[in-house]
Amino acid sequence: MSIDWITVAAQALNFLVLVWLLRRFLYRPILDGIDSREKEIGERMAEAATIRQAAEAAQADLDARIATLHASRVDTLEAAHQSAEAEREAMLAEARRRLAVEQDEREAQRAEEARAYTAELHRSGAEALLSLTRKALSDLADETLEQRIVSHSAHRLSAIADQLRDAAGDTREAVAFTRDPLPHSVAERLREEFASILPGFTLRLDTDPALAAGLTLRLGGAQVAWTVDSYLDDLDAVLQDRTGRTVPSGFANAS
């Protein structure tokens, strides 16, 4: 069997032409399509990766925001709790302070009421004692009591000699009033005492039944008295000082 090389060559050429034609018109478009598809798939995968990264970044940012909001909420709640607790403590402290002030005021009021009540008792007792003493001395006052008061007062003139001298001015005569006439010896003793204490002054004796038992001396613009009433006034002043009463005006007797 002989080989027809021309036929073989022609078939080989046909095969090559077929391969070229297939490659040129069939395989190349398919390969180009595949390359294009692969490129598109690659681009989409890259875009998907970018989108995934963006989504992951957005999720991370969202998680961070949520965590921040949660922490802020916790901080806000804690701050609100602390503020409410501080306000409650402040209100309790203010209530305790007001209660303490009210208690102190009530205690002070009760103490003042007790003091006023005690002072009123003392005043009532002092007034009763003074009234009884005044009545007793008034009932018991006689010439002997008056003479003793005059004798005692004569020794006390020296203590007020300077005041009497200053108050005398141009007057050189003093007047001594008693309720009843004094015995001669008592009168002379009073004159001698007065002359020794205030030289250059004279003493005139007079009576005034309206006066209380004792001695009332007038010299110029001055007047001093050692009488039953003056001693009672001194007692009243002492009682007033002890009981906290105000001394009424008009009580300026010497003792």
Side-chain angles (χ1 to χ4, degrees):
M1 180 178 175
S2 61
I3 299 173
D4 187 356
W5 293 104
I6 297 174
T7 303
V8 171
Q11 291 179 352
L13 179 63
N14 291 333
F15 177 76
L16 291 174
V17 170
L18 177 63
V19 170
W20 180 84
L21 289 174
L22 290 175
R23 180 179 177 83
R24 176 71 178 82
F25 296 103
L26 179 62
Y27 296 141
R28 176 52 57 185
I30 293 174
L31 293 176
D32 290 341
I34 292 173
D35 292 339
S36 176
R37 185 63 177 171
E38 288 180 350
K39 182 180 180 180
E40 182 181 356
I41 291 173
E43 291 176 353
R44 290 187 178 183
M45 290 181 66
E47 183 179 359
T50 302
I51 294 174
R52 183 175 66 254
Q53 292 176 355
E56 291 176 352
Q59 182 65 38
D61 182 68
L62 179 61
D63 292 340
R65 289 175 180 272
I66 291 174
T68 302
L69 289 175
H70 181 71
S72 176
R73 177 175 174 273
V74 171
D75 293 340
T76 302
L77 290 176
E78 181 64 23
H81 177 72
Q82 292 179 356
S83 176
E85 186 68 18
E87 185 175 358
R88 185 181 70 86
E89 291 296 332
M91 292 176 64
L92 288 176
E94 178 65 16
R96 286 193 292 266
R97 186 191 67 80
R98 290 185 179 180
L99 181 60
V101 170
E102 292 177 358
Q103 289 177 345
D104 291 342
E105 290 177 351
R106 285 196 295 270
E107 289 294 333
Q109 183 178 1
R110 284 195 292 266
E112 178 62 22
E113 290 174 354
R115 188 201 63 79
Y117 180 72
T118 303
E120 182 62 28
L121 289 179
H122 289 169
R123 282 196 295 270
S124 300
E127 289 171 358
L129 175 61
L130 182 63
S131 178
L132 291 174
T133 304
R134 190 182 297 275
K135 185 176 186 304
L137 289 178
S138 177
D139 293 341
L140 297 175
D142 54 14
E143 294 181 6
T144 301
L145 176 61
E146 186 172 53
Q147 292 171 21
R148 290 180 64 86
I149 293 175
V150 171
S151 299
H152 180 66
S153 300
H155 297 292
R156 306 179 69 178
L157 285 173
S158 58
I160 58 173
D162 293 337
Q163 291 91 329
L164 291 174
R165 189 179 297 107
D166 294 339
D170 297 333
T171 303
R172 288 296 179 268
E173 181 184 52
V175 183
F177 291 94
T178 57
R179 188 178 65 178
D180 300 311
L182 295 174
H184 179 73
S185 59
V186 176
E188 287 302 318
R189 181 182 176 187
L190 180 60
R191 287 192 179 94
E192 291 174 1
E193 293 281 351
F194 187 81
S196 64
I197 294 172
L198 292 171
F201 289 83
T202 60
L203 180 64
R204 178 168 59 86
L205 300 179
D206 201 350
T207 59
D208 186 352
L211 295 175
L215 175 68
T216 301
L217 179 66
R218 295 174 185 170
L219 177 58
Q223 175 175 309
V224 291
W226 293 277
T227 64
V228 171
D229 286 344
S230 68
Y231 288 111
L232 290 175
D233 290 339
D234 290 340
L235 175 60
D236 189 22
V238 172
L239 293 175
Q240 288 170 352
D241 182 64
R242 294 293 186 272
T243 59
R245 288 187 297 166
T246 302
V247 179
S249 60
F251 288 91
N253 297 313
S255 57

